[in-house]
Structure formats: structure tokens, C-alpha cells
Amino acid sequence: MQLFADWHVHTSYSDGHATPEEIVAAAARRGLAEVAITDHGPRGMFIGVRDAGVYRELKDQAARLSELYPVRVLVGAEANVISLRGEIDVPEPIINELDVLIAGLHPQVWCKPWWETLTWILPNRIGKTSGWVREKMRESNTMALVAAVRNNPLTFISHPGLVMAVDLDEVARACAGTGCAMEINSGHHYDRDEVVRAALRKGALLVVNSDAHYPGTVGELGIGIQLLDKYRVPSERVLNARPAGQNAVPGYLPGAVGGLVRRTVSAGS
Ligand SMILES: [Zn+2]
Ligand SMILES: [Zn+2]
């Protein structure tokens, strides 16, 4: 399996440790055709961008860097899911200008309404040891993530099941229905096998990314590629894979909003 893009990378505009140019130079060294800079949404506690206007600044930088390096530089957001109703912390006018829209559950986020930070996020942080709390949170997390998938034109969801537990089958079913892909995140340890199995069971697309926070790990996708091979996932089911026998980067179908990277779902199981 050959992958042409890494669509999940952070810079020092959020909690990464690199400038956009250092990221793009690293992507060029790795031989990637595309890289997307996807800093954390503004409601991430201590890890988010200053405000959503930062994504516009990054678009300007990406245009300049695309001229300088042999890499197509995209800009996206790793938005936070900020309510149980699946709202995200990037407003629609900004979404319209992005190339990639990711949403993920993170245990360090200021919710809207604020009290859900206490009633939903906090128990996720302290309830890891209690089976009952964990099960209750799993239901809440699943509800929020499924709503985010249904209500936003997401390219993919980041690291489903990392730290904040979800029912992966339910999430995969929602993804299969909307064309949102499920991420195999090479940069974090969690049950990635179960993500692949759920996506295959329910017919959802997959995508492999590094979630790099340093230039050195940009394009480090090996763990994900091994999993795709292990489960014999066909390249048509992987958003950032080159179709078998083709060298060209596939074109994109316009998403529901603007020019987001999306692909319609082919018939799933
Ligand atoms: Zn994340
Ligand atoms: Zn990330």
C-alpha cells in the first residue's frame, strides 16, 4: 500500500514544535505529494490555536510554501467536539476556506455550554478506573462523536477510541453513511486494530496519518500501513492511498462545503 499524503500534522500555532516551513520541508524529504497542517481548534485547553483566524494566516503561508517545495500544502483544522450535540470549535466561514476538516474527542477542551466540561469531559479524565463511569462516558462520547460526524462536513475523525472510549461500530456506521473516514493514527498508542475492524465491518473509509508534532515524524505512517496490510484493506477504502497500479494523486470530489477533501463511499459491507 502506497500513501501519498499525511493530513494530520501540528505546528507551533497549536501544540506542535515546528514552523509550517519546517513541516513542509520534512514532508518533501519524505517524498509526500501532500501534507496538511491541521492545528488544534481554539477551544483546546492550552493546546488550541489562538483563534480560528489563525487558519487564514496558515492558508497564506501554505500558498507560499507550495511554491517553494515540491509538496501540495493543505490547511485543515483538528477541531474539538465541544458538546454532546456534536458541535465543533471551528466556525462555518472558516470551514469554507479549509482543505481538510478533522474532528476529534480530546479530554482537554472547554465545552459549550461550559458545564459540559464538568459533566462530560471531567468524568472522562477521572473515571478511567471506575467501570460504571467509564461505561456511562462511553455512551456520551459515542453520542457526541456520532453527532459530530453527521452534522459537519468532516474529512475524517482523528484517533477514535484514544483516551475517550467510544462504541467503534456505532461511530463506523455513522462514518459509512456520510463518507467521513476513520483515522489510523500512527503517532498515538491505542487499539488501532479495533478501528480497522470496525471500519471494515461497517463499510467506513480509513485514512492513515502521523499526527506529527515535530518535523522528524511527518509522514511516519508505517504502523498504519502494516495494519492495512494485516487486514488486507483494499486501497479504494483508504482516503490517502494511491489507487492500485496508479501513480497519479487522485482528484478530489468537492465536499458538502467548499473544496474539502472528501470521497464518496463506495458500496460497503
Ligand atoms: Zn488529536
Ligand atoms: Zn492531532
Side-chain angles (χ1 to χ4, degrees):
M1 179 87 63
Q2 258 208 320
L3 304 179
F4 66 88
D6 186 351
W7 286 325
H8 185 171
V9 171
H10 297 278
T11 71
S12 44
Y13 282 84
S14 62
D15 64 341
H17 301 272
T19 63
E21 179 150 14
E22 287 166 333
I23 294 296
V24 174
R29 281 197 297 278
R30 285 266 181 178
L32 292 174
E34 286 187 7
V35 68
I37 292 166
T38 56
D39 279 309
H40 289 285
R43 280 180 168 263
M45 288 177 192
F46 318 117
I47 61 165
V49 293
R50 185 178 73 235
D51 61 72
V54 164
Y55 298 114
R56 289 201 170 115
E57 257 176 77
L58 284 165
K59 284 288 285 189
D60 291 342
Q61 294 209 33
R64 182 178 66 84
L65 292 168
S66 285
E67 303 276 307
L68 293 175
Y69 292 86
V71 181
R72 186 170 175 230
V73 185
L74 308 181
V75 174
E78 186 182 12
N80 295 291
V81 181
I82 55 167
S83 76
L84 290 167
R85 287 156 308 289
E87 289 151 286
I88 60 173
D89 61 349
V90 179
E92 193 164 315
I94 299 284
I95 292 174
N96 283 328
E97 296 179 38
L98 295 177
D99 307 302
V100 172
L101 182 61
I102 314 171
L105 294 176
H106 295 100
Q108 60 283 84
V109 63
W110 301 110
C111 288
K112 191 180 146 195
W114 65 266
W115 59 83
E116 287 186 1
T117 314
L118 303 180
T119 57
W120 169 37
I121 300 297
L122 196 61
N124 267 284
R125 296 181 67 104
I126 60 177
K128 283 181 208 147
T129 47
S130 156
W132 179 81
V133 176
R134 198 179 150 78
E135 195 42 47
K136 196 82 203 118
M137 287 307 106
R138 190 167 175 266
E139 276 173 33
S140 302
N141 299 342
T142 304
M143 183 173 87
L145 190 54
V146 164
V149 167
R150 296 214 170 113
N151 298 339
N152 300 285
L154 304 180
T155 309
F156 61 90
I157 47 170
S158 50
H159 46 65
L162 172 69
V163 186
M164 292 175 72
V166 292
D167 180 327
L168 285 168
D169 274 352
E170 267 202 50
V171 171
R173 191 180 306 123
C175 287
T178 65
C180 171
M182 296 172 79
E183 182 182 58
I184 305 171
N185 186 304
S186 289
H188 287 288
H189 289 286
Y190 62 109
D191 193 348
R192 290 174 283 229
D193 282 69
E194 198 41 55
V195 173
V196 179
R197 286 194 217 106
L200 290 175
R201 273 195 297 271
K202 302 298 174 190
L205 293 168
L206 288 161
V207 62
V208 179
N209 296 299
S210 70
D211 203 355
H213 286 67
Y214 294 89
T217 47
V218 172
E220 206 150 89
L221 307 174
I223 290 170
I225 293 171
Q226 278 170 24
L227 271 179
L228 295 173
D229 290 343
K230 177 177 168 186
Y231 291 98
R232 298 199 175 86
V233 181
S235 56
E236 311 86 75
R237 303 219 62 84
V238 183
L239 204 55
N240 56 341
R242 290 185 195 281
Q246 285 183 34
N247 286 320
V249 172
Y252 301 121
L253 296 172
V257 176
L260 288 168
V261 174
R262 300 288 301 259
R263 198 196 292 171
T264 50
V265 193
S266 54
S269 53

